[in-house]
Amino acid sequence: MSQSATVMAMPRRALITGVTGQDGSYLAEYLLGLGYEVIGMVRRSSTVNFERIAHIQDRLVLAPGDLLDEASLIAILREHRPHEVYNLAAQSFVQTSWSQPVLTGETTALSVTRMLDAIRMVDPTIRFYQASSSEMFGKVQEVPQRESTPFYPRSPYGVAKVYGHWITVNYRESYGLHASSGILFNHGSPRRGLEFVERRVSNGVARIKLGLQDKLSLGNLDAQRDWGYAPDYVRAMWLMLQQDTPSDYVVASGETHSVRELCELAFSAADLDWEDHVVIDERLMRPAEVDLLVGDPTRAVKELGWKREVDFPTLVQMMVEADLELLRSQMS
Ligand code: NAP
Ligand code: GDD
């Protein structure tokens, strides 16, 4: 029987932390499409921030909780009894991790232990996915980076993700949990947060094209990243939890591009010349930089049957078009 046929025959429940984020919203859509009951953990805030899930909100079960509060995690697991937990919530912006290093450690590192312990106590048969990151490779020890490449994180965020990664491996080995870690390289989409560089550029291009601003300030144009499309990457998360044996997988495009190339493509998608508009702001440089990321997804391709569908130029074009459309609709 195929994997999707198995899912159809036996409805399953999944808990997603970080459901209001980019990946959480796409994963929720994907799992709903597979027939899952999806529980999304949401934290309290003074204003509702459900934009990314508004279109599917009536099909989700929203459960109040916070990664910093273990009792809330235990209560959610007890009440909803998920078969799978996707731990996507994190303080995910690298730059902020220097100004809020302790919060980043609490949320992005220690909270992984909180969730794993909650699973161990409530139901150790729950399958667990940890959102690990290519940022763990940092000052890269090998090119391209694969599952066996040693980590050398370069930010408090990267350090926190290394902790989250190893505690996932440790709970798998200590308690026999079905816990897997996806080492995902950068992935964006029109739902990407405005602070990340590919969205900062697509949004900036759209604003310049529509006459709302003339300049776009950026930091290090030489940084190179392996960018993919978020909906392609959430499929890999699900595939990992369908395997008989839990493990760790690199998910990447296998190509690298500089921020400069990103600018060239994005501005030309709107018939603009990036050199007329981009200015460098030293304040956007990082105390320690990750210069080059490029992943080798061979294992995910071979063992999971994972394949990406959207390449880098298509992603950039899609993001610029989406930002143009969004701004036009806001202006009309
Ligand atoms: P994102 O858009 O920044 O979303 C982060 C999510 O975490 C939001 O839903 C946020 O909730 C939630 N969150 C933060 N602190 C929380 C807390 N204390 N309790 C509960 N929820 C909390 O991130 P993303 O791009 O979707 O990334 C998903 C995960 O993959 C993250 O762990 C990220 O570090 C990792 N990752 C991302 C990439 C990438 O390129 N996108 C690559 C590798 C790894 P609010 O909406 O309430 O703020
Ligand atoms: N954000 C941002 N803003 N980055 C800029 C800018 C700018 O104005 N100008 C240049 N950059 C450079 C950064 O210095 C970095 O080298 C690169 O663009 C990418 O920065 P981000 O888009 O902020 O992403 P990131 O690579 O630091 O982190 C993202 O990918 C990780 C996986 O490698 C995040 O999604 C992390 O959560 C994720 O783990």
Side-chain angles (χ1 to χ4, degrees):
M1 196 186 282
S2 71
Q3 286 168 336
S4 44
T6 311
V7 171
M8 295 302 286
M10 192 179 61
R12 291 178 72 77
R13 270 185 307 283
L15 169 67
I16 302 175
T17 73
V19 74
T20 53
Q22 171 190 258
D23 289 8
S25 67
Y26 284 119
L27 179 64
E29 268 172 28
Y30 183 63
L31 295 180
L32 287 171
L34 292 175
Y36 275 68
E37 184 183 329
V38 180
I39 300 114
M41 188 179 90
V42 289
R43 58 177 170 164
R44 194 259 163 191
S45 72
S46 64
T47 43
V48 174
N49 64 344
F50 294 169
E51 295 89 2
R52 293 186 179 104
I53 52 169
H55 60 296
I56 50 170
Q57 205 175 320
D58 57 345
R59 298 165 64 203
L60 298 175
V61 178
L62 296 183
D66 196 301
L67 277 188
L68 301 178
D69 187 320
E70 178 145 11
S72 70
L73 306 182
I74 293 170
I76 291 173
L77 295 182
R78 283 203 179 126
E79 182 179 347
H80 297 282
R81 300 308 296 240
H83 303 98
E84 297 172 8
V85 170
Y86 295 86
N87 187 38
L88 310 188
Q91 191 304 94
S92 71
F93 188 39
V94 170
Q95 186 94 44
T96 293
S97 75
W98 277 285
S99 54
Q100 299 178 15
V102 175
L103 176 78
T104 300
E106 279 288 350
T107 311
T108 304
L110 271 185
S111 289
V112 186
T113 313
R114 290 190 185 97
M115 183 58 93
L116 285 164
D117 252 340
I119 287 174
R120 191 171 65 83
M121 285 187 269
V122 175
D123 178 3
T125 69
I126 291 171
R127 295 187 173 200
F128 176 78
Y129 172 84
Q130 168 57 16
S132 285
S133 166
S134 51
E135 183 73 12
M136 301 190 301
F137 295 121
K139 188 170 177 178
V140 298
Q141 304 294 294
E142 187 178 25
V143 178
Q145 295 87 54
R146 48 178 71 90
E147 291 79 5
S148 55
T149 304
F151 301 136
Y152 192 140
R154 294 272 282 170
S155 61
Y157 168 84
V159 173
K161 281 289 180 187
V162 170
Y163 176 93
H165 178 82
W166 281 115
I167 201 69
T168 301
V169 174
N170 181 262
Y171 270 54
R172 179 167 77 214
E173 294 177 355
S174 301
Y175 303 113
L177 296 188
H178 192 296
S180 294
S181 166
I183 307 174
L184 270 52
F185 282 62
N186 297 49
H187 45 278
S189 72
R191 293 186 203 165
R192 185 67 148 148
L194 283 165
E195 67 273 44
F196 300 99
V197 75
E198 68 271 34
R199 184 74 197 286
R200 189 169 162 82
V201 170
S202 67
N203 179 257
V205 166
R207 290 180 63 81
I208 290 167
K209 183 73 182 174
L210 298 179
L212 298 170
Q213 68 188 55
D214 184 48
K215 299 292 179 200
L216 173 64
S217 51
L218 292 172
N220 179 11
L221 300 185
D222 295 322
Q224 290 177 266
R225 289 291 182 277
D226 177 328
W227 275 289
Y229 179 47
D232 283 344
Y233 286 48
V234 301
R235 279 189 281 108
M237 300 175 186
W238 177 77
L239 283 167
M240 284 178 220
L241 296 206
Q242 310 319 305
Q243 304 307 301
D244 290 338
T245 310
S247 193
D248 309 318
Y249 295 90
V250 159
V251 180
S253 75
E255 286 173 24
T256 193
H257 300 275
S258 65
V259 174
R260 186 176 285 99
E261 280 175 80
L262 165 68
C263 291
E264 281 165 11
L265 271 176
F267 279 84
S268 70
D271 296 319
L272 296 167
D273 183 343
W274 73 280
E275 290 183 284
D276 294 337
H277 302 282
V278 171
V279 292
I280 302 302
D281 182 342
E282 293 296 325
R283 289 170 302 180
L284 295 167
M285 300 290 181
R286 297 180 174 180
E289 181 60 284
V290 172
D291 297 317
L292 164 75
L293 290 175
V294 56
D296 175 1
T298 303
R299 184 154 188 240
V301 171
K302 282 197 180 145
E303 292 183 17
L304 303 178
W306 177 76
K307 184 161 85 54
R308 70 168 172 147
E309 281 167 9
V310 173
D311 65 12
F312 179 64
T314 310
L315 170 69
V316 175
Q317 173 98 24
M318 178 201 299
M319 290 182 67
V320 170
E321 283 171 7
D323 271 318
L324 280 167
E325 199 178 308
L326 181 68
L327 284 174
R328 283 192 183 113
S329 71
Q330 288 168 354
M331 289 163 75
S332 64

